[in-house]
Amino acid sequence: MNILISGGSGFLGSAFSDEIMARYRAQDQALHITWLTRDSSQAHPNDINMMTYDELASSDKSFDVILNLAGAGIADSRWSDARKEQLLASRIKPTESLLAFIKRTSIKPKLMVSGSAIGWYGTQGDKPLTESSGFETDFAHRLCDEWEQLALTATEYSVPVAIVRTGVVIHPDGGMLGKLLTPFKMGVGGQLGDGQQIMSWVSREDWIGAAIFIIEQHLASHAGSQTTHENTLQTTNDTTAVVYNLTAPNPVNNHTFTKTLGSWLHRPTFFTLPNFLLKLIFGEMSTLLIDGQKVLPQALQSAGYEFQQPTLKQALEGQKS
């Protein structure tokens, strides 16, 4: 199998590459992974192929699967107008390059898995949200929706698309947990606001496991068959398009998350950052910290995926602190 990954060197892409290569080697199956990059000199593992976006524009290589993960971190800095433009461009431009390749190539990929986030649903408090739920309009929704709608263009060239709406990914190597470890280890970690906002999270191990599950399930399915499920998205033809929530089945509120993390690290969690201070520090981006979302992985579980770390305690205990 040949896989092309945009964002391959990132927090999710690199770990995905390591895991799927290990699995295929253990099964003595051929697997080739290519990372898209803007810098041809970028460091990378020896068993990963590299391709620049300029090379992609004229490449005649064929890929079975495209994994589209490129995009600047939504919570990495305050949402100024310039930052919002950067967040959108960092997702749209790589996707446009992939679509141009798909349109031009004679041998089409069998699947494109394209990233998104649970921000697509907007702020909806503790209302349970599945793949068939609606949305509330805010910046996070608009960002995710524009990215998703562009990715779905691949179906116009008969390439099936799976949109993966990712929650807060738990792993000490990066993401939110990576940023929180230092203050919590110093004993100054604490609750955000009233602590009642719901956090929909997923361990990085289960994110990778779910992504591989989606890919293998699709490739193993009967060619040309299409069954309508609640996670099926409408397209202009009969090409399959589906969406999956990549979140654990047991979301927690911020108070529980704080206490669980403190217990795992054996550190106190006495501090509280009030809402007004979070808004002062982070501006509009504070909605990611103050406003909760209860997003559930209904489609994944209905398809038969079994979570290895379904609870936050299991996810944390499966890591090295």
Side-chain angles (χ1 to χ4, degrees):
M1 179 163 62
N2 293 327
I3 303 178
L4 177 65
I5 308 178
S6 69
S9 63
F11 175 56
L12 294 176
S14 59
F16 170 89
S17 300
D18 289 343
E19 177 61 22
I20 196 169
M21 290 191 77
R23 291 193 189 191
Y24 273 61
R25 283 174 180 163
Q27 299 167 9
D28 199 25
Q29 297 185 51
L31 177 69
H32 303 281
I33 294 179
T34 300
W35 287 356
L36 270 177
T37 179
R38 300 199 180 281
D39 180 5
S40 59
S41 64
Q42 182 183 36
H44 61 279
N46 291 332
D47 45 9
I48 298 291
N49 303 311
M50 301 294 282
M51 177 184 288
T52 66
Y53 282 89
D54 288 340
E55 290 170 337
L56 179 69
S58 58
S59 175
D60 59 358
K61 292 185 178 181
S62 63
F63 297 96
D64 299 295
V65 175
I66 293 177
L67 183 57
N68 181 25
L69 300 177
I74 192 171
D76 286 353
S77 63
R78 193 181 178 101
W79 290 349
S80 64
D81 289 343
R83 179 59 177 173
K84 287 181 178 181
E85 291 178 4
Q86 182 184 20
L87 289 171
L88 183 59
S90 68
R91 289 157 171 77
I92 296 302
K93 290 182 179 180
T95 305
E96 287 177 338
S97 296
L98 290 170
L99 290 169
F101 168 76
I102 288 171
K103 180 180 180 180
R104 179 178 53 78
T105 187
S106 58
I107 302 176
K108 306 299 184 187
K110 299 172 184 175
L111 177 68
M112 181 163 83
V113 179
S114 195
S116 185
I118 60 173
W120 185 89
Y121 297 101
T123 300
Q124 301 200 50
D126 59 0
K127 176 183 177 181
L129 302 171
T130 68
E131 289 81 359
S132 60
S133 297
F135 59 87
E136 294 292 332
T137 301
D138 56 17
F139 169 68
H141 167 76
R142 292 191 297 271
L143 176 67
C144 294
D145 192 57
E146 190 161 345
W147 193 15
E148 290 187 15
Q149 293 304 316
L150 181 61
L152 289 172
T153 305
T155 62
E156 296 177 9
Y157 310 116
S158 301
V159 175
V161 174
I163 300 292
V164 290
R165 294 175 182 158
T166 299
V168 176
V169 181
I170 299 295
H171 195 280
D173 282 356
M176 187 181 79
L177 183 59
K179 295 176 181 178
L180 289 177
L181 283 182
T182 296
F184 269 77
K185 285 181 176 180
M186 294 175 63
V188 295
Q191 179 176 295
L192 302 179
D194 64 9
Q196 296 307 302
Q197 64 273 37
I198 302 295
M199 186 180 85
S200 296
W201 61 275
V202 64
S203 71
R204 190 168 71 171
E205 288 79 1
D206 269 317
W207 189 95
I208 294 166
I212 294 174
F213 175 85
I214 291 166
I215 291 170
E216 293 185 338
Q217 183 191 56
H218 175 83
L219 296 184
S221 65
H222 187 271
S225 64
Q226 179 170 344
T227 303
T228 301
H229 298 289
E230 288 188 352
N231 68 323
T232 300
L233 299 173
Q234 186 174 0
T235 61
T236 58
N237 54 30
D238 291 333
T239 304
T240 301
V242 291
V243 60
Y244 292 91
N245 292 334
L246 263 58
T247 57
N250 297 292
V252 297
N253 63 26
N254 180 259
H255 175 79
T256 299
F257 173 81
T258 300
K259 295 303 181 184
T260 305
L261 180 56
S263 176
W264 174 58
L265 293 172
H266 306 291
R267 293 293 187 273
T269 54
F270 300 132
F271 292 89
T272 296
L273 282 175
N275 286 350
F276 80 87
L277 186 58
L278 291 169
K279 292 178 180 178
L280 182 65
I281 296 172
F282 298 104
E284 184 182 356
M285 194 182 76
S286 64
T287 185
L288 300 177
L289 307 174
I290 297 171
D291 301 314
Q293 291 174 305
K294 188 176 184 179
V295 181
L296 304 173
Q298 180 172 290
L300 266 180
Q301 291 186 302
S302 295
Y305 180 74
E306 295 184 8
F307 283 83
Q308 301 304 302
Q309 296 168 340
T311 70
L312 182 61
K313 182 178 180 182
Q314 289 172 317
L316 292 175
E317 289 178 349
Q319 312 301 331
K320 294 180 180 180
S321 59

